[in-house]
Amino acid sequence: VPESIPGSPTTVRLTAVTNKTGATYSWVQTSGPTVTLAPSSSVPSPTFIAPAVGATSLGFRLTVRCATGNPGIANTVVNVTDVITNAPPTAVA
């Protein structure tokens, strides 16, 4: 879910929901320009700053393990389009 303010970097939140008590989470980026998940890749809903690119896709895999260790795996893709970066104007003569 993008959280965007004009002129600011776009923050994207990945969200995992489970009804299992004591579950652990592990997010792994599987494709696209590398981003850093904050506060870590082991929380249910990490965030990252969308990369400053024209358009790209970022793939992520989530593994959720319940208290007994049984894993559940889900994959998702975040499409990034038209990220505007603040850059000084370029003069063309």
Side-chain angles (χ1 to χ4, degrees):
V1 177
E3 300 169 2
S4 183
I5 298 172
S8 297
T10 300
T11 300
V12 179
R13 180 179 308 279
L14 302 172
T15 302
V17 178
T18 183
N19 61 358
K20 301 292 183 185
T21 303
T24 61
Y25 303 85
S26 176
W27 290 93
V28 175
Q29 186 175 354
T30 58
S31 65
T34 302
V35 296
T36 301
L37 298 179
S40 75
S41 62
S42 61
V43 298
S45 298
T47 62
F48 65 90
I49 302 299
V53 296
T56 194
S57 295
L58 298 108
F60 296 91
R61 179 182 312 115
L62 169 65
T63 303
V64 178
R65 291 188 184 277
C66 64
T68 61
N70 294 328
I73 297 172
N75 292 293
T76 191
V77 173
V78 176
N79 293 312
V80 177
T81 58
D82 300 324
V83 174
I84 299 171
T85 58
N86 274 339
T90 303
V92 177

